[in-house]
Amino acid sequence: MLLAVALAATPAVALAQSVLPAVTAADRVLGRADAPVTVIEYASFTCSHCGDWHRTVYPAFKARFVDTGQVRLILRDFPTPPVQVAAEAAAIARCAAPERFYDVASSLMNGQTALFQGGSVADWYASAIAASGRSEPEIEACVNEPATLNGIRASVAGAQGAGVPGTPTFFVNGRMVDDNSLAGLTAAIQPLVTRSTAGR
């Protein structure tokens, strides 16, 4: 393994009411900061359903909503088995140059197919690092910073507190959406965009 990340299990959070953590400066945002709709995705880089969504839905979703300024997308970490591999991938993405985070995420999601067909984890990481805008020594140093692991742990705790049942899970302006197809997300997003436009 190229880098070493140890992600201790985070105890489940028992809350009377699920609470989605607010957007902070620590979140990686794709799209306009003042977009009327915020979509938060909890995902894992070793989750095949997450990879499928990224490859088949994300391009059209981004073109329709993010590139037009209607949505800001935020990807949050919720590593799934093998957790060590997923957490290390999440750490590499977090350590990328800020403007390259989603390039690294795309590299990891798009590289899943080869990985799951017997490809090398080290090669999967290397491709992500190549897209990061930083050198391998810079990424390695950042991955091993306590703050990086703490950020992943905080994301996991937030997911558990919000009642995230698995990955990928999407929230549209704070409301969990069960249907993560383009049609399902459009049905949740479009009324909010229309309402925002009408209120101007």
Side-chain angles (χ1 to χ4, degrees):
M1 184 173 293
L2 178 62
L3 306 172
V5 175
L7 184 66
T10 304
V13 179
L15 297 177
Q17 182 176 5
S18 297
V19 177
L20 179 68
V23 176
T24 71
D27 282 304
R28 286 66 50 90
V29 178
L30 182 67
R32 283 175 36 186
D34 63 347
V37 178
T38 298
V39 175
I40 295 175
E41 175 193 6
Y42 280 95
S44 168
F45 292 116
T46 56
C47 157
S48 61
H49 295 297
C50 301
D52 287 342
W53 187 88
H54 194 91
R55 289 187 296 273
T56 62
V57 178
Y58 172 74
F61 173 87
K62 180 177 180 292
R64 182 167 184 173
F65 293 115
V66 178
D67 294 346
T68 57
Q70 298 176 70
V71 165
R72 61 174 180 168
L73 175 66
I74 295 170
L75 191 156
R76 289 178 174 172
D77 300 310
F78 195 19
T80 56
V83 172
Q84 175 73 18
V85 175
E88 189 160 351
I92 291 170
R94 283 173 173 266
C95 290
E99 70 278 7
R100 302 296 291 274
F101 171 82
Y102 284 92
D103 294 330
V104 173
S106 291
S107 174
L108 291 164
M109 293 298 191
N110 292 333
Q112 273 190 6
T113 301
L115 178 67
F116 294 161
Q117 291 176 351
S120 162
V121 173
D123 288 345
W124 186 54
Y125 291 158
S127 294
I129 292 171
S132 72
R134 291 188 170 152
S135 68
E136 184 175 319
E138 288 174 320
I139 293 291
E140 185 165 3
C142 173
V143 163
N144 289 291
E145 283 288 331
T148 303
L149 179 56
N150 289 340
I152 297 171
R153 285 175 171 157
S155 183
V156 171
Q160 292 172 332
V164 171
T167 55
T169 292
F170 291 83
F171 291 84
V172 175
N173 276 9
R175 183 175 66 85
M176 190 183 297
V177 177
D178 293 329
D179 184 355
N180 60 33
S181 67
L182 182 61
L185 290 168
T186 298
I189 292 167
Q190 198 58 58
L192 299 173
V193 172
T194 301
R195 192 179 310 155
S196 171
T197 303
R200 289 177 183 173

